Amino acid sequence: MNLTIRSSKSAEEQLEVPGDKSISHRSLILSSIAEGESSIRGLLEADDCLKTLNIMRALGVSINKHAPGEYTVYGKGLDSLEEPENVLDCGNSGTGMRLIAGLLSGQDFYSILTGDQSLRSRPMNRIIEPLSMMGVKIWSRAGGYAPLSIQGGELNSIHFAQKIASAQVKSCLLLAGLYAEGNTVIEEPAPSRDHTERMLASAGVEIEKSDGTIALKDDNPQIEPFDIKIPGDISSASFLLAAGLLVPDSSILVKNVGINSTRSGFLEVLDDMGAELVIKNKRKMGGEPAADLKVETSDLRSVTVEGEIIPRMIDEIPILAVLATQAEGRTVINDAEELRVKETDRLSAITENLNKMGADVEEKEDGLIIEGPVDLKGEIALESFHDHRIAMASAVAGLIADGPVEILESEIINTSFPEFPKIIKNKFLQEAE
Ligand code: S3P
């Protein structure tokens, strides 16, 4: 399936984005090992999270759907998951595979995790090494690639200093740590998203956070069941905000978006770029800070983005690159080498697509240098690289191109934001295409 972007129009819209992907995964996993019935509203019903949901069912957990995004999960407690009969498929989801590997490490049974071609080429040594130190028997293909086979069992706790700020690795070890003898301690070089810590704490697990260190304190943890309303995904919202900033005479309000500071680096960068952005109606939603975000078409200036902010906006770098093509001056993105091991090599993919459109993007080992503003060319077909965020960032670039832009194999967008093509067609394009 291809998405055709042709003749955009100014948009004055109030929109919502679906539930946060990271929080959706975590709510399914933690409710499955809670002591009883949890209720989830606003679950992201996109491919990645549905894979996690199916895996929890394959582990013997009953999960009932009542309405779109609304589920009851009948948690089995920490120790009553069942050995799955078949291989567990995480699809495209690195979060699913890495978090569930942590969970399976504590189970006294054998299981196998696999995924699509992209996921099978992503590095798993980053979890295999610390999990092995905890005593897990875990096998992979040569080089540390999935499928992963795991024989869980008794675990010892570790004190692990992460070299990279990865919430997936941190969360994997926290989930395994629930099953370990003693206190698991994780150090991070810079703050990464802290949804797991928040959700564990609100489910009654004693967890201590201080200066780059997270410690599971509970010797005998139990997960209390919970009710959660998941806020909208700031990573999905970033594409609509960027569209509102770039398409002339637009004004976009995205309601109910999670703005946890470990995720909101993109909003800080928008501010530095001179974007007309208003953060309204700040409140708590599902134990997370949330707000309504409003943007208006803006003249943007270039920025340098590096250091600790990078993990706090790791998924927004491709759309930042699109914005930078329209900003006055040279935008420099440093310290972003992790983008090379996402669903695709995002530094290379976004450089290729934007340069095809006539942009001036230089790829560095750890980032990008982008000169702007440059008029973007249409009459072009762009690859999705089997990456939802590359597909959506390229589609937003297409909105300001001087001719039609075709996004190839755009169905990959279903990974995180199935409604995106419809929103773009209905709100930002001249006629339904
Ligand atoms: C995620 C963490 C990030 C992010 C991913 C979701 C999570 O990955 O890129 O989209 O839910 O924990 P890393 O932990 O590998 O940086």
Side-chain angles (χ1 to χ4, degrees):
M1 197 176 78
N2 298 343
L3 172 62
T4 310
I5 308 289
R6 186 184 293 137
S7 29
S8 65
K9 62 174 183 197
S10 60
E12 195 164 324
E13 294 293 342
Q14 187 171 308
L15 302 166
E16 286 205 50
V17 286
D20 187 273
K21 180 155 78 69
S22 294
I23 301 174
S24 294
H25 281 294
R26 286 156 174 81
S27 65
L28 287 166
I29 294 171
L30 287 185
S31 60
S32 292
I33 50 169
E35 297 286 328
E37 221 175 289
S38 294
S39 141
I40 305 177
R41 281 173 299 144
L43 187 88
L44 173 63
E45 291 172 314
D47 288 351
D48 268 17
C49 300
L50 295 175
K51 292 284 190 219
T52 290
L53 189 153
N54 286 339
I55 289 175
M56 293 304 129
R57 283 187 172 144
L59 295 171
V61 181
S62 296
I63 303 177
N64 288 349
K65 175 170 175 168
H66 308 291
E70 286 190 31
Y71 292 81
T72 301
V73 180
Y74 297 89
K76 292 173 77 80
L78 277 169
D79 294 312
S80 301
L81 296 178
E82 292 161 19
E83 182 172 88
E85 274 176 31
N86 205 343
V87 170
L88 303 169
D89 180 11
C90 301
N92 190 241
S93 177
T95 305
M97 179 166 285
R98 295 191 177 115
L99 269 60
I100 293 167
L103 175 72
L104 293 172
S105 295
Q107 313 304 320
D108 195 11
F109 55 65
Y110 178 72
S111 51
I112 303 173
L113 287 169
T114 192
D116 68 7
Q117 198 181 356
S118 152
L119 186 54
R120 283 185 273 114
S121 68
R122 295 181 66 185
M124 292 298 150
N125 273 337
R126 54 183 63 194
I127 58 165
I128 294 173
E129 283 164 11
L131 287 174
S132 303
M133 285 159 61
M134 295 177 85
V136 183
K137 295 197 185 85
I138 177 165
W139 297 269
S140 68
R141 286 188 300 126
Y145 298 104
L148 303 178
S149 340
I150 300 173
Q151 173 60 57
E154 295 208 343
L155 305 182
N156 52 271
S157 55
I158 49 169
H159 184 130
F160 187 69
Q162 286 189 274
K163 288 195 205 77
I164 39 172
S166 164
Q168 294 181 359
V169 174
K170 172 176 65 175
S171 303
C172 167
L173 300 181
L174 286 172
L175 286 165
L178 291 172
Y179 294 88
E181 188 78 29
N183 295 339
T184 296
V185 182
I186 301 159
E187 287 175 42
E188 19 178 31
S192 67
R193 62 194 69 192
D194 66 356
H195 308 302
T196 307
E197 299 92 296
R198 281 172 184 264
M199 211 180 279
L200 280 171
S202 72
V205 175
E206 205 186 327
I207 194 159
E208 208 175 77
K209 239 185 140 171
S210 63
D211 228 14
T213 301
I214 301 117
L216 263 183
K217 286 291 187 189
D218 236 325
D219 284 335
N220 191 13
Q222 277 207 341
I223 315 276
E224 289 159 16
F226 51 87
D227 288 352
I228 186 168
K229 168 88 180 86
I230 297 174
D233 196 320
I234 190 169
S235 298
S236 299
S238 69
F239 298 104
L240 304 180
L241 296 174
L245 288 166
L246 294 180
V247 175
D249 301 319
S250 295
S251 163
I252 298 292
L253 174 68
V254 191
K255 296 189 79 180
N256 305 323
V257 183
I259 56 157
N260 179 324
S261 63
T262 60
R263 292 286 297 283
S264 61
F266 182 65
L267 302 181
E268 293 164 38
V269 170
L270 288 185
D271 205 44
D272 290 346
M273 294 178 90
E276 296 207 32
L277 163 74
V278 187
I279 303 177
K280 304 205 284 200
N281 198 9
K282 283 192 187 175
R283 60 200 181 277
K284 276 267 170 109
M285 219 176 144
E288 295 270 347
D292 302 336
L293 306 175
K294 183 165 187 214
V295 291
E296 284 178 13
T297 313
S298 304
D299 290 329
L300 301 175
R301 54 177 177 263
S302 59
V303 271
T304 295
V305 182
E306 60 193 358
E308 70 79 36
I309 200 168
I310 295 286
R312 298 193 295 113
M313 57 176 298
I314 190 74
D315 294 335
E316 286 66 74
I317 305 282
I319 192 62
L320 170 64
V322 175
L323 289 170
T325 67
Q326 303 309 305
E328 188 71 48
R330 170 179 292 193
T331 290
V332 181
I333 301 168
N334 295 321
D335 306 321
E337 57 274 18
E338 269 296 294
L339 262 73
R340 296 203 181 276
V341 290
K342 295 295 177 189
E343 286 82 333
T344 189
D345 177 341
R346 286 183 174 161
L347 293 179
S348 142
I350 199 66
T351 301
E352 182 173 327
N353 278 3
L354 290 174
N355 283 346
K356 268 191 179 165
M357 299 178 82
D360 181 353
V361 183
E362 188 190 321
E363 188 183 338
K364 307 189 295 132
E365 198 41 50
D366 72 336
L368 302 170
I369 300 173
I370 303 159
E371 301 282 352
V374 173
D375 290 338
L376 297 182
K377 290 193 301 240
E379 305 286 349
I380 205 167
L382 299 175
E383 268 186 63
S384 293
F385 296 92
H386 204 67
D387 184 317
H388 52 130
R389 299 200 204 283
I390 295 298
M392 289 188 278
S394 304
V396 172
L399 289 174
I400 50 161
D402 66 4
V405 172
E406 192 91 17
I407 310 297
L408 303 174
E409 297 181 353
S410 59
E411 64 276 5
I412 192 66
I413 292 171
N414 289 335
T415 297
S416 66
F417 193 178
E419 301 81 349
F420 175 84
K422 209 174 182 177
I423 294 177
I424 292 294
K425 280 184 196 156
N426 292 345
K427 311 292 184 188
F428 288 94
L429 297 185
Q430 295 286 2
E431 71 243 23
E433 296 179 52

